[in-house]
Amino acid sequence: MPDGSYAHPQQRQFNPYTENGGTILAIAGADFTVIAGDTRQSEGYSIQTRYAPKVFRLTDRAVLAVNGFAADGNMFVKKVKQRLEWYRHAHAKDMPLRAIARLIQTMLYAQRFFPYYVYNILGGIEEDGSGAVYSFDPVGSYEREACRAAGAAQSLVQPFLDNQIYFKNQQLPPGQTRPLHLSLSDVLSIVIDSFTSATERHIEVGDGLEIYVVLAKGRGPQGLEAVRGAQELTTNAEGDRVFIVRRELKKD
Amino acid sequence: MYRNTYDSDNTVFSPQGRLHQVEYALEAVKQGSAAVGLRSKTHAILLALKRSTGELASYQQKMYRIDDHVGIAIAGLTSDARVLSNFMRQQAMSSRMVFNRPIPVNRLVSSIADKAQVNTQEYGRRPYGVGFLVIGQDKTGPHLYEFAPSGNSYEYYAMSIGARSQSAKTYLEKHFESFADCTLEDLIRHGLHALRESLQQDKELTINNTSIGIAGPASVHEKDVPAGGSFRILEGEPVEVFLKSMVPKETAEAQAAEAPAAEAPPDGAAPAQAGDQDVSMAE
């Protein structure tokens, strides 16, 4: 670190990146996907703002969460949205989810030598109606998964998800079987508990929580009717549906 | 007489002060099938007649969506139309990215008008062979513009371009004063009547050859239109209900023949025109 001493050679350089904290998470169900992120944006020990969204609706079936360097994250989302608009102009329909995932890979790798410092998680409904989560590294390596957490509290949340979603390191009493798929209300509880717990123990997580729920076409609203404050964002009533749920998180 | 000697170079005026290449480009627009545009206080709409090469062929696309709030109908060279509409889409997207707001419609039309003008003044370049009717909604309400390859653009309450468009224009001139307070359904009905005037003998508007473009809130026959009303194109089945709302031709002719007799027309030449097709007006 340059410190003005004459003892050793020094150099200053502009650092184009910074870490803005926060955590994101996505879980895929049989016919739904949940994508969530806290709303705190910080730099070091300071809070820049208590409300900066990190999760964005791309289409009625795709939601993108971006975490890492906020300026890169916000710009990247804008560019993805532009590409989706060009697709709509050319084909008069929305891009399928796995095509969006591949597109994100090519957009990230195009900046291989000056990367977007962003961990992306794309969640939504596939063409076959199943819930899907795709997670990316900053240069475009990606994979479809059942669940993924990224960001500041990733190391706290991901093991919890491995235990609760994949049932890792859990042994059931003999004779009992695990359910094949989790219900939406179970998944929402896991998401909220992940964030309240991460907020307790990680300084960069807190203030607020935004949860996006994407339901496959034809799947009824069961699991959402009981949820306080759920708002629908769907634009086309004939297809998949997107909802948002907001919750408070501790501000300390 | 000198037309042929002064018409091969874009950059050469004729002795009469005309640029013949530009005028030939306007001819290309007149060869395209008709498109009609009209607006009210709340909506701006486009109606277009799609052409097909034969019974087995599909119908040529006449409308493009440029942005949520802007759409166009084309007449002329389709390839030139694609290139220009692509440019308009870039301009619209750039405006959203750079200024965080949808592009005002007049600004968008000016940008293609200026682009087209370049091709009328640079040596070796030919003018675009396509004209547009542009509709959109912005902060100042609904708008309709005509864009021509000469680089001219102008705002209208109602306008038509393409083959036999003068007949449609006659209908529009007769009725335009009532457009401002029309409902969307009535506006579309007027537009279809105007478009019908441009048809050749024995042809009629069908769900296959008619496109309707709408900017503004949903009509009673539409569902799934976002609040405020994004630009959308209706083709095929959804057009049927609007076609049915048209007054049948025979009744329309009879009404047109009666009405001028009941009012006192300022010029006595009005009566027979409304039912005739292919009327070329000498005003």
Side-chain angles (χ1 to χ4, degrees):
Chain A
M1 188 72 166
D3 60 1
S5 106
Y6 295 104
H8 48 269
Q10 317 213 356
Q11 189 187 23
R12 274 197 192 282
Q13 198 168 22
F14 169 67
N15 182 13
Y17 299 113
T18 186
E19 298 255 22
N20 293 116
T23 299
I24 54 175
L25 145 62
I27 299 172
D31 52 8
F32 66 86
T33 303
V34 173
I35 308 95
D38 71 327
T39 62
R40 175 177 284 179
Q41 188 170 299
S42 48
E43 187 169 3
Y45 288 110
S46 301
I47 294 179
Q48 289 186 337
T49 174
R50 295 195 190 277
Y51 183 70
K54 284 196 276 287
V55 188
F56 301 89
R57 174 196 167 278
L58 299 178
T59 66
D60 275 349
R61 66 160 89 96
V63 172
L64 181 62
V66 294
N67 187 245
F69 174 40
D72 275 0
N74 292 335
M75 207 53 180
F76 184 71
V77 168
K78 285 186 190 176
K79 293 197 180 182
V80 171
K81 282 182 173 173
Q82 277 196 330
R83 293 292 294 270
L84 295 182
E85 179 75 348
W86 280 117
Y87 186 93
R88 260 193 297 271
H89 277 137
H91 306 287
K93 63 173 184 154
D94 281 337
M95 232 169 142
L97 192 70
R98 59 202 177 89
I100 300 177
R102 178 57 67 91
L103 172 70
I104 289 175
Q105 172 177 66
T106 58
M107 289 176 72
L108 290 170
Y109 200 81
Q111 287 292 107
R112 173 67 178 79
F113 300 113
F114 185 10
Y116 290 103
Y117 200 124
V118 183
Y119 289 87
N120 286 291
I121 302 183
L122 174 71
I125 303 296
E126 269 296 1
E127 266 169 314
D128 63 0
S130 60
V133 167
Y134 291 90
S135 62
F136 301 78
D137 83 349
V139 284
S141 167
Y142 81 107
E143 188 186 16
R144 181 175 175 179
E145 296 176 288
C147 72
R148 168 65 66 188
Q154 169 186 5
S155 49
L156 288 75
V157 174
Q158 188 68 51
F160 176 58
L161 261 37
D162 291 341
N163 177 261
Q164 294 292 306
I165 310 287
Y166 295 118
F167 304 110
K168 293 280 175 64
N169 308 116
Q170 260 186 359
Q171 188 148 37
L172 281 141
Q176 265 193 40
T177 46
R178 342 204 109 94
L180 219 58
H181 296 291
L182 290 165
S183 71
L184 176 56
S185 46
D186 282 350
V187 168
L188 285 171
S189 303
I190 290 172
V191 169
I192 293 174
D193 288 348
S194 302
F195 276 92
T196 50
S197 311
T199 304
E200 288 292 324
R201 292 292 183 174
H202 197 112
I203 60 167
E204 291 173 330
V205 181
D207 291 326
L209 172 60
E210 276 186 344
I211 310 176
Y212 282 70
V213 181
V214 192
L215 302 178
K217 179 163 71 166
R219 184 213 190 273
Q222 60 265 33
L224 265 180
E225 312 104 318
V227 176
R228 166 184 57 91
Q231 243 185 301
E232 184 152 11
L233 301 175
T234 318
T235 53
N236 183 358
E238 304 299 313
D240 306 309
R241 302 167 73 183
V242 191
F243 296 81
I244 186 173
V245 179
R246 292 189 176 88
R247 290 287 182 270
E248 292 282 310
L249 290 171
K250 283 167 83 170
K251 294 178 186 298
D252 63 7
Chain B
M1 174 189 155
Y2 294 109
R3 192 156 137 130
N4 290 346
T5 50
Y6 297 100
D7 70 356
S8 36
D9 276 343
N10 200 8
T11 48
V12 177
F13 278 105
S14 78
Q16 291 77 35
R18 294 153 75 155
L19 290 170
H20 287 298
Q21 277 298 310
V22 177
E23 297 190 10
Y24 296 160
L26 295 172
E27 269 307 309
V29 176
K30 288 182 201 158
Q31 296 300 320
S33 66
V36 169
L38 54 161
R39 73 159 162 107
S40 68
K41 279 203 198 99
T42 53
H43 292 82
I45 62 171
L46 293 167
L47 300 98
L49 185 63
K50 290 188 280 189
R51 208 175 254 166
S52 93
T53 48
E55 277 184 39
L56 298 172
S58 63
Y59 291 81
Q60 179 64 254
Q61 184 189 8
K62 290 280 282 182
M63 281 192 205
Y64 290 90
R65 173 182 166 271
I66 302 299
D67 198 345
D68 281 343
H69 67 302
V70 179
I72 64 173
I74 70 167
L77 267 50
T78 334
S79 38
D80 284 3
R82 268 179 51 82
V83 159
L84 273 174
S85 62
N86 209 18
F87 175 78
M88 289 174 86
R89 286 167 173 169
Q90 283 174 356
Q91 293 292 302
M93 254 192 242
S94 162
S95 180
R96 282 190 189 268
M97 178 65 108
V98 174
F99 301 112
N100 195 24
R101 59 111 175 88
I103 190 166
V105 191
N106 66 331
R107 211 167 287 197
L108 179 61
V109 175
S110 295
S111 72
I112 45 166
D114 292 345
K115 186 172 164 69
Q117 190 280 339
V118 171
N119 286 34
T120 69
Q121 204 173 9
E122 254 177 57
Y123 181 70
R125 301 179 72 152
R126 66 159 176 86
Y128 288 100
V130 64
F132 293 161
L133 289 177
V134 183
I135 59 166
Q137 292 259 15
D138 58 26
K139 274 181 17 159
T140 48
H143 298 280
L144 164 68
Y145 290 87
E146 182 196 7
F147 157 79
S150 53
N152 280 330
S153 66
Y154 207 71
E155 186 166 8
Y156 289 93
Y157 292 110
M159 186 48 159
S160 69
I161 58 174
R164 290 175 292 283
S165 59
Q166 185 53 59
S167 318
K169 226 171 279 187
T170 312
Y171 178 95
L172 294 171
E173 280 166 6
K174 194 180 277 180
H175 293 99
F176 79 95
E177 272 153 337
S178 69
F179 292 167
D181 293 310
C182 270
T183 61
L184 176 56
E185 292 75 26
D186 284 340
L187 201 66
I188 293 176
R189 195 167 37 79
H190 275 303
L192 287 170
H193 286 163
L195 191 64
R196 183 168 60 185
E197 298 297 318
S198 77
L199 287 167
Q200 285 172 296
Q201 202 64 270
D202 294 340
K203 295 275 189 286
E204 52 171 19
L205 297 179
T206 70
I207 60 174
N208 290 319
N209 68 6
T210 310
S211 272
I212 305 178
I214 305 171
S219 94
V220 295
H221 304 296
E222 288 180 281
K223 45 183 180 141
D224 259 357
V225 176
S230 307
F231 174 80
R232 60 233 179 244
I233 301 173
L234 302 182
E235 287 171 320
E237 265 310 312
V239 170
E240 184 67 49
V241 61
F242 295 106
L243 290 176
K244 288 217 172 76
S245 76
M246 285 200 289
V247 174
K249 273 232 87 153
E250 304 71 34
T251 332
E253 286 176 27
Q255 277 181 2
E258 285 174 32
E263 314 156 358
D267 56 314
Q273 306 293 2
D276 287 355
Q277 290 177 306
D278 282 54
V279 172
S280 46
M281 288 288 293
E283 303 225 61

